[in-house]
Amino acid sequence: MQHLWDLRATWKPTAWNCNLAVTVNGLIVGAQSAASADFATTRTALTGSFLFLPEQGRGIGTEMRVAILHLLFAGLDAEFAESAAWADNAQSLRVTEKLGYELVGGATKLSRGKPRDQLRFRLSRAEWETRRRDDITIHGLEPCLDLFGMTTHPTVSGSTDVGEAGSSRPAEE
């Protein structure tokens, strides 16, 4: 909880981390986040996620990522989304590959005090557009744009909202 409180307390339009709960049938099964510094200028955010082990392998991880990408690209007019995964995390790597990210580098990082290889990926708006889904709606975003450093949004017309991804599609993975 302290981590979540800290994210909320330190949020600024120029540096934010939007950490969202993921629910299935009313139960929290994970979290999906997007974070950025100077988003209004860079139009780039880093995504991250956590999914409880019993929920893995059911397509939920893909749906989570698709939803946050839709928020970033369709809702906030991002140009790039970035992600990182441990080199041995086959499920995360599969989602990243499926959604069209490009490998842009890697590094050795500490994880629980031990060195591990981490890979970094980037997805462009153009590549996202080739896989963009039409079954995702955004509700209630317009009043929140200032929180993301976006005083206006060129692609938003009328009311916009943040909603669910994949509610009418079966999970794939």
Side-chain angles (χ1 to χ4, degrees):
M1 288 305 299
Q2 286 180 330
H3 171 68
L4 296 175
W5 293 333
D6 183 57
L7 294 178
R8 196 169 169 194
T10 59
W11 185 300
K12 299 182 290 193
T14 56
W16 47 261
N17 188 331
C18 181
N19 196 18
L20 305 171
V22 175
T23 62
V24 174
N25 298 324
L27 298 174
I28 294 175
V29 298
Q32 178 68 60
S33 68
S36 186
D38 300 311
F39 182 81
T41 303
T42 67
R43 291 290 205 265
T44 301
L46 175 66
T47 64
S49 64
F50 174 82
L51 186 60
F52 292 124
L53 193 56
E55 308 304 327
Q56 294 179 13
R58 298 178 40 210
I60 298 168
T62 300
E63 293 298 301
M64 292 165 49
R65 185 91 63 89
V66 166
I68 201 75
L69 291 173
H70 196 84
L71 174 62
L72 290 172
F73 289 113
L76 297 174
D77 202 30
E79 287 298 322
F80 296 98
E82 297 177 338
S83 188
W86 299 116
D88 60 356
N89 187 340
Q91 288 175 305
S92 180
L93 295 172
R94 200 166 38 250
V95 169
T96 301
E97 179 184 356
K98 184 187 321 184
L99 297 179
Y101 285 78
E102 176 185 347
L103 178 65
V104 293
T108 301
K109 305 267 186 170
L110 284 182
S111 172
R112 299 182 180 152
K114 296 182 181 177
R116 286 177 75 189
D117 291 331
Q118 187 179 69
L119 304 173
R120 292 194 59 90
F121 301 89
R122 191 170 220 209
L123 178 67
S124 69
R125 167 179 281 287
E127 185 60 32
W128 172 77
E129 289 283 358
T130 69
R131 292 170 167 76
R132 181 181 185 156
R133 295 209 341 223
D134 62 1
D135 65 331
I136 303 171
T137 58
I138 298 177
H139 305 277
L141 181 58
E142 188 81 30
C144 303
L145 290 176
D146 286 345
L147 295 170
F148 292 94
M150 308 294 294
T151 54
T152 61
H153 190 290
T155 62
V156 172
S157 60
S159 173
T160 56
D161 304 315
V162 180
E164 296 181 22
S167 58
S168 63
R169 292 178 63 149
E172 304 168 12
E173 187 173 318

